Amino acid sequence: VQPPEKPLQAEEWNRLRESFQSPEVFEEVMFNSMLRCNSPIDVAKSLLTHVAKSNGDIAYNLLVKYLALCVQQGQTSEICDVYDIMKIKFKILEGGAYNLLIRGMSNSDQWRMALTLLEEVKKIMIPSRTNYESCIKAAIRHQEMNLAFELYHEMLAKDVVPTLDVLQAFFDFNRGMKGAELQKELFGILLYLRENQIYPHKTFMRSIKLWFESIPGGNWRGHLTNITDSGQCPVCSHQLEDCDLTEEEYNNLRERIIRDVIHGTDTFRKTSPQEFEAFQTFVENRLPFDIVIDGLNVSHIKPRKMHCENLFDAVNCLAKENARLLVLGRKHMLSNSSNWKREIMKEMQNKAHFFFAENISEDDAFLLYATLRSGKHCKFVTRDFLRDHKACLSDTLTRHLFRKWQRGHQIAKSEKVFLSVSIQQPALPYDCVVQTTGDTWHIPYKDTFEEKYSYQVPRKWLCIQQKL
């Protein structure tokens, strides 16, 4: 449907409606098309008026579509009018309408109205990330920093994860600003990146650099660099944090994971206690391993290759250095099928220990158990991120240790480079997260923006030093 270019009279709308193949959805289709073509507001309004006169009422979904068009065009007074109508007609609005209203108001000179709407949303549900970020950005643009940070901390407290976009806005809008409190808040965002192993992309990294260099009297200087394999920064000669856990940290972590994750509530959902017991016995009789491999995960690395060939390549690669390997497999791998050839499986079993679990088992718990029982040197291979298990670890310190251990012990490669001659750059001796000594900051960054959580460790760093 092509929307009209100017407002129509009632009979003209009726004629259009009758010529439409499904008259009962005419208004909805017409509004969708107006949104797509960004039609003038008065055209949309004339349809709304026509519907109100014909039916004596306007359905909720049509009002929301009209509202979307008003927001798209920044028509503040219309947004307010629609809100007034909706408030009278409907006791409660759903998330979609609130998203539009908050977005529309936060981009206008009546942006404080968005805060009132946010309070309304809080009475019925946890506001969405978009709700919070629209309000935060409005507060930042109007230099109401205390308010912006208050909302930011509130969203974190409610486990609503901020986008890199809103975090970057804090740095962009505070260039050249004075104030110890403000600095502390922005340092806090950098520590949030550290805590959650988040790598900023290039544009965000540049915003951080420019902010540091703009701090009045701060004397900060930023340089882009690559850290040497030994973990030394070529710019400031500072040695980055070691990624090894101390004996005590390792033992604590091992106990906690075995207690909370492996014997916790979630392990036996997809495996039976008997099977897990059999696995523990199997492991205890063969300890220690050097590398534990998630066989199913690795077998899918190159989509055009047979599964058993992918796994065979990985096992060959890793067995080179006389490493003791444990491969976690599934029973169906023994079935001699088109993807799992018996003779290849036999040959692999000469090079590695194999444990074949039931086809429905969850391998993460097996993987963690075998790796942690083998000792600090043992690494594991999977392209999964093990996010669920982090969630079972209740306190931040254990979560921090888990991630740190994971960064140092997980061998995870993308399809392209996984099967290069050495299984990976040796897990780096330094820890690849944001770190600070007070007068230096080291921030690892990615070239491109990735919304997805990533285990691929960046090799590029921003070094920021304060010259005193």
Side-chain angles (χ1 to χ4, degrees), residues 36 42 70 175 195 220 263 284 355 416 422:
R36 222 179 18 256
D42 54 353
C70 298
R175 258 175 233 165
E195 187 49 50
W220 291 96
H263 296 309
E284 297 302 323
F355 182 86
K416 292 192 224 40
S422 139

Side-chain angles (χ1 to χ4, degrees), residues 46-247:
S46 84
L47 176 56
L48 217 50
T49 313
H50 169 63
V51 171
K53 282 186 180 151
S54 318
N55 306 350
D57 198 9
I58 304 171
Y60 182 84
N61 63 333
L62 292 187
L63 272 173
V64 172
K65 287 184 194 298
Y66 177 65
L67 175 62
L69 188 64
C70 298
V71 170
Q72 196 166 293
Q73 299 182 7
Q75 303 270 359
T76 311
S77 63
E78 282 299 309
I79 296 171
C80 293
D81 290 349
V82 178
Y83 175 54
D84 290 337
I85 295 169
M86 290 179 105
K87 232 179 6 189
I88 294 162
K89 280 172 59 79
F90 311 103
K91 260 211 153 35
I92 246 174
L93 310 182
E94 42 66 69
Y98 275 121
N99 275 348
L100 286 166
L101 287 163
I102 289 175
R103 199 171 87 218
M105 298 315 284
S106 64
N107 286 324
S108 75
D109 50 359
Q110 299 190 40
W111 65 278
R112 285 186 185 280
M113 180 67 188
L115 300 171
T116 312
L117 288 161
L118 185 68
E119 289 308 313
E120 255 179 62
V121 176
K122 283 186 213 167
K123 288 180 191 144
I124 43 178
M125 56 187 157
I126 290 180
S128 68
R129 168 154 91 177
T130 322
N131 293 159
Y132 272 118
E133 297 200 346
S134 298
C135 293
I136 290 173
K137 283 181 178 167
I140 290 177
R141 279 196 299 273
H142 293 87
Q143 282 299 315
E144 297 251 355
M145 280 305 148
N146 292 346
L147 172 62
F149 278 113
E150 201 178 302
L151 291 167
Y152 162 70
H153 289 301
E154 191 182 295
M155 79 188 274
L156 291 187
K158 293 194 160 112
D159 279 332
V160 181
V161 179
T163 58
L164 294 188
D165 186 42
V166 84
L167 298 181
Q168 185 181 333
F170 278 111
F171 289 90
D172 285 340
F173 281 86
N174 282 299
R175 258 175 233 165
M177 294 291 176
K178 264 197 162 78
E181 203 41 51
L182 178 70
Q183 260 185 58
K184 201 171 126 205
E185 286 285 12
L186 288 160
F187 287 162
I189 291 178
L190 295 176
L191 295 174
Y192 171 80
L193 298 180
R194 170 189 170 88
E195 187 49 50
N196 292 285
Q197 194 183 328
I198 295 167
Y199 304 125
H201 47 81
K202 212 184 235 161
T203 43
F204 183 9
M205 176 276 296
R206 289 215 176 96
S207 296
I208 295 170
K209 178 177 183 290
L210 290 170
W211 172 73
F212 266 104
E213 292 175 342
S214 77
I215 298 172
N219 271 343
W220 291 96
R221 277 290 154 268
H223 296 274
L224 307 188
T225 186
N226 293 63
I227 303 294
T228 62
D229 283 344
S230 66
Q232 194 180 44
C233 170
V235 179
C236 65
S237 305
H238 182 73
Q239 187 66 32
L240 293 193
E241 285 173 41
D242 191 349
C243 69
D244 257 0
L245 303 186
T246 65
E247 244 0 274

Side-chain angles (χ1 to χ4, degrees), residues 141-393:
R141 279 196 299 273
H142 293 87
Q143 282 299 315
E144 297 251 355
M145 280 305 148
N146 292 346
L147 172 62
F149 278 113
E150 201 178 302
L151 291 167
Y152 162 70
H153 289 301
E154 191 182 295
M155 79 188 274
L156 291 187
K158 293 194 160 112
D159 279 332
V160 181
V161 179
T163 58
L164 294 188
D165 186 42
V166 84
L167 298 181
Q168 185 181 333
F170 278 111
F171 289 90
D172 285 340
F173 281 86
N174 282 299
R175 258 175 233 165
M177 294 291 176
K178 264 197 162 78
E181 203 41 51
L182 178 70
Q183 260 185 58
K184 201 171 126 205
E185 286 285 12
L186 288 160
F187 287 162
I189 291 178
L190 295 176
L191 295 174
Y192 171 80
L193 298 180
R194 170 189 170 88
E195 187 49 50
N196 292 285
Q197 194 183 328
I198 295 167
Y199 304 125
H201 47 81
K202 212 184 235 161
T203 43
F204 183 9
M205 176 276 296
R206 289 215 176 96
S207 296
I208 295 170
K209 178 177 183 290
L210 290 170
W211 172 73
F212 266 104
E213 292 175 342
S214 77
I215 298 172
N219 271 343
W220 291 96
R221 277 290 154 268
H223 296 274
L224 307 188
T225 186
N226 293 63
I227 303 294
T228 62
D229 283 344
S230 66
Q232 194 180 44
C233 170
V235 179
C236 65
S237 305
H238 182 73
Q239 187 66 32
L240 293 193
E241 285 173 41
D242 191 349
C243 69
D244 257 0
L245 303 186
T246 65
E247 244 0 274
E248 190 185 352
E249 286 174 331
Y250 178 77
N251 292 334
N252 282 345
L253 178 68
R254 185 172 69 182
E255 275 163 37
R256 281 297 299 274
I257 289 189
I258 288 178
R259 192 184 75 210
D260 294 2
V261 177
I262 296 175
H263 296 309
T265 47
D266 71 338
T267 309
F268 299 125
R269 245 183 271 157
K270 293 189 184 159
T271 179
S272 66
Q274 293 76 11
E275 180 178 51
F276 198 71
E277 230 161 79
F279 173 68
Q280 283 176 294
T281 310
F282 174 92
V283 168
E284 297 302 323
N285 291 337
R286 292 165 181 77
L287 281 174
F289 298 106
D290 298 316
I291 300 173
V292 182
I293 302 168
D294 178 344
L296 200 57
N297 185 285
V298 170
S299 73
H300 287 83
I301 237 164
K302 287 189 175 164
R304 281 183 293 282
K305 263 184 137 167
M306 253 194 301
H307 294 167
C308 59
E309 283 183 355
N310 279 329
L311 185 55
F312 187 64
D313 290 347
V315 166
N316 264 347
C317 234
L318 290 162
K320 272 184 193 154
E321 293 131 31
N322 288 329
R324 284 175 58 81
L325 310 183
L326 167 62
V327 180
L328 300 175
R330 295 292 171 85
K331 296 230 165 110
H332 72 254
M333 294 177 176
L334 297 168
S335 61
N336 199 23
S337 60
S338 58
N339 260 315
W340 297 101
K341 294 278 177 259
R342 185 164 290 146
E343 59 279 13
I344 297 182
M345 289 303 292
K346 271 222 162 68
E347 200 177 330
M348 266 194 273
Q349 284 166 276
N350 296 331
K351 301 186 172 203
H353 295 277
F354 269 76
F355 182 86
F356 296 98
E358 289 301 335
N359 293 331
I360 52 165
S361 299
E362 186 51 91
D363 355 34
D364 286 358
F366 289 66
L367 188 75
L368 288 173
Y369 182 82
T371 310
L372 286 161
R373 280 295 291 125
S374 291
K376 257 172 87 169
H377 73 290
C378 184
K379 307 240 184 310
F380 62 96
V381 183
T382 178
R383 294 179 305 152
D384 274 353
F385 205 74
L386 315 176
R387 296 219 50 168
D388 309 349
H389 302 301
K390 220 174 57 236
C392 306
L393 299 167

